[in-house]
Amino acid sequence: MGKSVNVDIKTTIYPLEAIYAAAYQFIDRAYVRLEEKPKQVIRVCLDPKEDADPKAFKKIDGEFLNELVHQFVRTKVAESNKKIREYVVTRALLSAQSVQEIPAGFPVPGAPSPEGMLPGPDGIPNLGSDGQPVSGVQQGESPMVDQREDDPSPGANLDRVNRKAAPSDDALADEIQKLLSEIDSGGDAEDPLGITAPWEEQAAEKGKDAKAKGKTKRGKVKKVKAAKGGGKDALADEIKALLESEAGGGKSK
Amino acid sequence: MTLKFSSNLYSRAAIDYAIARYKDFARIKVSKTGKAFQVAFSGMDAEFADALPGEFSNCVLLAMREGA
C-alpha cells in the first residue's frame, strides 16, 4: 500500500456537508477516514487502494481541495435556490392532482374547455388517476362546473340575458288572465246599432244570450285596443281569437 | 486492528450499517470511549486484513452520506 495523504480542513471555512460530499467522491480511489482535530479542524486521511496509481495519487490532495470547493459552492447554490425549487415542485404536484383531491375553497382559475375537460391551475387539464382527462360530466357536483353564473365570457352573459328576458308560458297565461279580468271589470259597452253582432245571432231567436255576450265582449276588446295602443296589438288579437273560440264553444252548446 | 471514529463526525447508525455489511468477513466489536467509537476487527482472513478496515471506513462514510 502506498503512502497515505492527509488533508486538514477548517470547519469555519467549509461546512461539514461539503466535506462529506467531497470525501464521498474519492471512495472509489482511496480509503477515506475523517478525524476530528483541535481548533475546529477535520483531518481527511486518504489511503490509496491497492490498484491505485502512485504517481496519480500524489496529486490527490489537490484534487480533494478542488472537489471540496466544488461541493461547497454546490451546497450554497442549493441553499439559495431552495425556496423556488420547492415552489416549482409544489406547483407541479398540484397540477397533477385531480379535481376531487383539491380541497374545497382552493382557488382554481380557468373555465371548462370546449371538450368538457376541466382545467386545473394554470389552465393545465387535470388528469385522473388513470391518466385520462377528467371531464365536466363526471364532475357534475364540482364547484367549478356550477359557476356558470359567474362565468365572465360574453357567450355565457348573453345566455343569462336571454333566459331572463324570455317569459315562460305561465307568465304569459297570467298576463292574459289579467287582461281578461281588466276587460270584465271595465263596464259594459253598448252597441245600440248592433254593428258588431253577426247576422246569424241577430236572426236567431234562440241565441239571444250568446248574442248579448258576443256584443259585450267585442266592445271590450275594442276598448282594450284603444287603451293599450298599437304596442299591444298582437296581444289583443290573441285575446280576440280566444274570445271567438269561446263564443263558438257556447254556440255549439 | 482497531479504528476510531469521532462521534461528532460519524453516527452510531452509520457504524451499525457498516457492521451489518461486513459481519461475515470478521468479528467486529464496537465500544464508545469519550467522544469516539472504537471498532475492533478480529478473526479476519489474511487476504482481507489490509483492505477490510479501509472498506469499512468507506462504508461508514457512505452511510453518513445517505443520511444514516
Side-chain angles (χ1 to χ4, degrees), chain B residues 12-33:
Chain B
R12 178 63 193 252
I15 292 174
D16 289 342
Y17 174 81
I19 289 173
R21 290 281 298 269
Y22 290 96
K23 64 181 180 182
D24 295 334
F25 299 96
R27 285 191 299 273
I28 305 171
K29 286 187 178 179
V30 186
S31 60
K32 188 174 182 183
T33 56

Side-chain angles (χ1 to χ4, degrees), chain A residues 35-46:
Chain A
E35 295 177 0
E36 192 176 17
K37 296 292 180 185
K39 298 181 181 177
Q40 296 181 321
V41 172
I42 289 178
R43 174 169 290 176
V44 180
C45 303
L46 299 167

Side-chain angles (χ1 to χ4, degrees), chain A residues 9-217:
Chain A
I9 302 162
K10 281 202 168 187
T11 54
T12 53
I13 301 173
Y14 299 104
L16 200 56
E17 287 184 8
I19 297 172
Y20 281 131
Y24 177 74
Q25 297 295 322
F26 285 85
I27 62 173
D28 58 335
R29 288 191 281 166
Y31 299 124
V32 185
R33 194 175 66 257
L34 306 181
E35 295 177 0
E36 192 176 17
K37 296 292 180 185
K39 298 181 181 177
Q40 296 181 321
V41 172
I42 289 178
R43 174 169 290 176
V44 180
C45 303
L46 299 167
D47 296 325
K49 290 189 176 181
E50 291 179 357
D51 55 350
D53 184 10
K55 289 184 180 178
F57 197 77
K58 288 180 181 176
K59 301 175 183 176
I60 201 168
D61 53 345
E63 291 178 19
F64 184 85
L65 290 174
N66 284 353
E67 185 65 29
L68 188 61
V69 173
H70 174 224
Q71 295 296 334
F72 176 60
V73 173
R74 196 165 176 268
T75 54
K76 281 286 183 186
V77 171
E79 187 180 348
S80 64
N81 292 340
K82 184 182 178 183
K83 280 188 178 180
I84 193 168
R85 196 171 60 246
E86 289 176 351
Y87 177 76
V88 168
V89 171
T90 305
R91 291 295 295 267
L93 290 174
L94 276 177
S95 299
Q97 245 181 344
S98 63
V99 176
Q100 293 98 337
E101 293 168 357
I102 296 176
F106 186 82
V108 182
S113 61
E115 294 81 16
M117 190 184 298
L118 292 174
D122 305 329
I124 299 171
N126 289 304
L127 298 179
S129 57
D130 55 351
Q132 297 299 318
V134 179
S135 71
V137 177
Q138 294 170 349
Q139 307 299 316
E141 306 211 349
S142 170
M144 292 177 60
V145 179
D146 294 331
Q147 289 175 349
R148 293 289 301 267
E149 289 292 329
D150 299 328
D151 191 354
S153 64
N157 196 24
L158 188 60
D159 286 341
R160 281 199 298 274
V161 169
N162 288 337
R163 268 186 277 148
K164 288 177 181 175
S168 64
D169 292 340
D170 294 339
L172 191 61
D174 290 343
E175 193 172 354
I176 292 171
Q177 190 65 33
K178 187 180 175 184
L179 286 170
L180 286 173
S181 63
E182 187 180 335
I183 289 168
D184 288 336
S185 64
D188 293 333
E190 296 298 329
D191 185 14
L193 299 177
I195 298 172
T196 58
W199 65 272
E200 294 94 343
E201 290 179 5
Q202 292 177 3
E205 292 180 356
K206 292 182 182 178
K208 283 183 180 178
D209 293 339
K211 178 183 169 185
K213 191 177 177 182
K215 280 196 291 185
T216 305
K217 290 191 175 177

Side-chain angles (χ1 to χ4, degrees), chain B residues 37-57:
Chain B
F37 296 106
Q38 287 192 346
V39 181
F41 299 91
S42 61
M44 298 178 288
D45 290 340
E47 54 184 331
F48 299 131
D50 292 337
L52 189 59
E55 294 289 350
F56 185 89
S57 62

